[in-house]
Amino acid sequence: MTGLVDVPSLTGGYTDATLTLAIDHTEHTRRQAAGLQLVVGHGFGGLDHLMALPHEMPVPLNTLDKYQRAYVRRAPAAICSIRDGHVTRHAVRPCRILMATVRYNTTYKLALDSASRFAPMCARQVIVKRLDKNAFHRISRLAEFDFYGIGVLLENEDGSLETVVEPRPWVPKRHTPAAWWFAEQAYGSYLKQTAQTLERTAP
């Protein structure tokens, strides 16, 4: 995956944040050629069925349960295809979410809670305009951010950013339908942003 891009998080319950994505350009190009955008047409259940299939490896249809067979038979060919009694999954996650960034005036608990929403999906950081003037409160709050692995960046008057607490790298524990679904939503934000940019720059 290459090509980092920042997009707004538009998913219900996960708004008011900026997501840093690594776009999978191979998958993006494949989807564009096939006229496919998001692989979310059948909710988490559909992605759960897809996750049961290895990527680009034919699997006998008769080894799937009836719900999996029903899904793959109605899914677009760009997601998975059926041939000679075998089904092959073509779709993969279109991007990887590297960071969720939220902005607050200072290190309120609300800032901590807002960044914490993204714990199952990616690394997290908060950009603040000031730190607490009270030394005890400042140290205590920063320690709490550090405990949860959430970075804190101080935005200076000139717009430069100073790292106060390093964000902890995010290590995925397992591949879940919900995480794939969220990646699809983030990719949708990328597609929308790209389309808007093309509209603004069109002659």
Side-chain angles (χ1 to χ4, degrees):
M1 291 191 180
T2 59
L4 300 186
V5 60
D6 290 334
V7 301
S9 182
L10 303 176
T11 306
Y14 295 94
T15 55
D16 300 321
T18 297
L19 303 177
T20 300
L21 312 180
I23 301 298
D24 185 331
H25 286 291
T26 299
E27 176 67 0
H28 173 66
T29 301
R30 188 190 72 82
R31 291 192 185 192
Q32 292 288 296
L36 177 68
Q37 293 192 337
L38 306 187
V39 182
V40 294
H42 304 286
F44 287 178
L47 292 174
D48 190 36
H49 297 327
L50 286 180
M51 286 176 58
L53 301 173
H55 180 234
E56 295 297 355
M57 292 181 61
V59 174
L61 270 174
N62 60 15
T63 63
L64 306 184
D65 64 34
K66 64 178 182 179
Y67 301 105
Q68 292 169 335
R69 288 196 298 271
Y71 171 77
V72 300
R73 282 173 175 152
R74 69 175 182 261
I79 295 178
C80 58
S81 59
I82 297 175
R83 183 178 181 182
D84 298 330
H86 289 69
V87 59
T88 303
R89 171 169 68 90
H90 307 296
V92 296
R93 286 197 201 192
C95 65
R96 184 161 50 97
I97 305 170
L98 302 180
M99 180 72 71
T101 302
V102 297
R103 288 179 173 267
Y104 279 84
N105 286 332
T106 190
T107 51
Y108 302 118
K109 185 179 185 302
L110 186 60
L112 180 74
D113 293 342
S114 183
S116 295
R117 296 172 296 163
F118 298 91
M121 276 78 77
C122 59
R124 299 143 294 146
Q125 65 183 15
V126 176
I127 297 177
V128 298
K129 295 181 178 179
R130 59 181 174 80
L131 300 175
D132 200 301
K133 292 182 179 180
N134 182 289
F136 176 79
H137 289 162
R138 181 173 65 250
I139 293 171
S140 176
R141 286 176 176 172
L142 291 178
E144 190 172 11
F145 277 83
D146 186 54
F147 177 81
Y148 289 105
I150 300 171
V152 177
L153 282 70
L154 178 63
E155 184 175 22
N156 298 312
E157 291 184 2
D158 63 0
S160 62
L161 298 176
E162 177 185 347
T163 300
V164 181
V165 176
E166 287 281 354
R168 187 180 305 154
W170 186 75
V171 179
K173 293 182 174 59
R174 58 196 180 105
H175 188 28
T176 65
W180 187 348
W181 179 84
F182 191 76
E184 293 286 344
Q185 298 300 311
Y187 176 64
S189 184
Y190 165 72
L191 293 178
K192 182 177 181 179
Q193 181 171 278
T194 301
Q196 290 173 342
T197 299
L198 290 175
E199 287 179 4
R200 288 195 300 267
T201 58

